Amino acid sequence: MKIGIVCYPTFGGSGVVATELGLELSKRGHEIHFITYSQPVRLELLSNNVHFHEVHVPEYPLFLYQPYELALSSKLVDMVKLHGIELLHVHYAIPHAYAAYMAQQMLKDEGIYVPIVTTLHGTDITLVGSHPFYKPAVTFSINKSNAVTSVSESLKQDTMRLFDIKNEISVVPNFIDLEKHEHKFTDCQRGMMAEDDERIITHISNFREVKRIPDVIKVFYNIQKALPAKLMMVGEGPEKEAAEILAEELGISERVIFFGNSNEIDRILCFSDLFLLPSQTESFGLAALEAMASSVPVISTNTGGLSEVNEDGYSGYLSDVNAIHDMSDNALKILTDIKTLETFKSNAKLQSQKFDLRNIVPMYEKIYEETLKAFLVAE
Ligand code: GMT
């Protein structure tokens, strides 16, 4: 099938899922066209089956806001016509589902019929999308999509609660390529980061408010009081500077390493003993799944879809949002005794196998086939 994928090309989870999905679909024989404003960060190899089409938005001084949706929908029309794309899969409702609907209508006018599959990722529903300024457009775009998926049962329920949805929503969880996550390293050079007796704690995100970055620092502060430890902070975002200041104020800045965005996530996870994800809300928590696939147990909050990913007392522990002491105690339960740590590490790996891409990508393929068939019959 010829599939157009629209996503945010940055380090965010929705872009990562969209890119990995496109790459896997291409390996399974589909022709994939990524249509977005820059090449997705995880898209390294373009091939016969993987194409990238950049959406340009010309700067015009009259506009305070440049009209990206307009440029995107025009690009979608052009690319569908040029490459014979049969289906559009848009990741993140805002503004992708809206732009895709406009493209669909323009194409229909020319006798070209292309169905839209929309995948809801989380903040497009729980944070941004439900804002009154966006809600009517988001509701409309979801209801006009020919198929809708959400990355967890929890996100599906949130969507039904927050919007007047007439469409069926299928749950297709985030996934992981476990083969890729088999440690490529015989030695991940742990010694460069910490002493043998130190535990390595890691957090990876885009450092937005929703990730509750100060809680990461506070939990780590409690951990390092009880045992020797280092904290790896990976990512860039608005909360990073405040986190650096907090680490300084708490007198632990020598124990906290800020990496910025990294292409060496696999190596960092390879030497990590524990992953912290104290988010305010998290529709799924791809970062937690990536950690688990590298045998790193997870201390997380119990919001959103996190309980569908991290099993309490098995692959890690779950706590209420803001429960710093509970999260610190749980971290120490895992870290203090080496045998317990080893058990949680192997459980984390086992838990991640539920989300192997070989089980999940066929769910998307099935949705594409059914949607295309139903759509062509209806049109
Ligand atoms: O979590 C982020 O800040 C990025 C965000 C995104 O939109 O790219 O991630 C969301 O989508 C991911 C992929 O489906 C999910 O694993 C994340 O849980 C979700 N983030 C939130 O719900 C906060």
Side-chain angles (χ1 to χ4, degrees), residues 200-202 232 267-274 295-296 345:
I200 299 185
I201 324 299
T202 297
M232 311 286 137
R267 181 184 295 280
I268 295 167
L269 289 174
C270 165
F271 55 60
S272 299
D273 296 306
L274 194 75
S295 304
V296 184
K345 277 179 173 252

Side-chain angles (χ1 to χ4, degrees), residues 2 21 48 64 81 85 118 134 147 180 222 230 238 321:
K2 291 186 182 185
L21 172 63
N48 275 352
L64 178 57
K81 283 161 59 178
I85 291 171
T118 297
Y134 298 122
K180 252 198 215 166
N222 291 336
K230 286 254 168 70
V321 173

Side-chain angles (χ1 to χ4, degrees), residues 159-179:
T159 311
M160 307 294 274
R161 182 172 46 81
L162 293 166
F163 300 87
D164 181 14
I165 298 300
K166 310 246 171 345
N167 257 345
E168 183 59 37
I169 299 179
S170 313
V171 176
V172 183
N174 286 179
F175 54 84
I176 191 96
D177 187 347
L178 282 169
E179 251 172 41

Side-chain angles (χ1 to χ4, degrees), residues 12-14 92 121 151 174 206 208 211 281-286:
S14 62
Y92 211 87
H121 280 274
V151 298
N174 286 179
N206 48 20
R208 285 182 300 140
K211 302 292 171 183
T281 170
E282 200 69 65
S283 68
F284 182 89
L286 180 62

Side-chain angles (χ1 to χ4, degrees), residues 28-100:
R28 298 165 77 95
H30 301 282
E31 186 179 303
I32 303 301
H33 295 263
F34 288 98
I35 304 159
T36 180
Y37 58 80
S38 68
Q39 183 160 327
V41 284
R42 290 220 186 161
L43 185 61
E44 282 155 11
L45 282 178
L46 297 175
S47 68
N48 275 352
N49 268 356
V50 182
H51 306 262
F52 163 59
H53 312 290
E54 188 170 338
V55 180
H56 293 281
V57 187
E59 288 278 326
Y60 188 63
L62 180 70
F63 298 145
L64 178 57
Y65 307 105
Q66 306 301 320
Y68 180 66
E69 293 89 316
L70 224 60
L72 175 60
S73 49
S74 295
K75 187 81 182 181
L76 290 174
V77 168
D78 291 345
M79 293 304 103
V80 166
K81 283 161 59 178
L82 189 64
H83 298 283
I85 291 171
E86 295 160 273
L87 177 142
L88 292 171
H89 187 177
V90 301
H91 292 260
Y92 211 87
I94 308 167
H96 299 154
Y98 194 72

Side-chain angles (χ1 to χ4, degrees), residues 330-354:
N330 286 336
L332 289 171
K333 266 190 228 165
I334 296 176
L335 292 171
T336 309
D337 168 53
I338 187 71
K339 270 204 179 134
T340 313
L341 177 59
E342 290 307 327
T343 306
F344 270 88
K345 277 179 173 252
S346 101
N347 292 349
K349 179 87 190 176
L350 285 172
Q351 175 73 356
S352 74
Q353 286 168 1
K354 292 184 186 164

Side-chain angles (χ1 to χ4, degrees), residues 11 85 107 117 134 151 192 199 208 256 355 378:
F11 278 91
I85 291 171
L107 288 159
V117 176
Y134 298 122
V151 298
M192 281 172 66
R199 297 282 191 249
R208 285 182 300 140
V256 184
F355 303 96

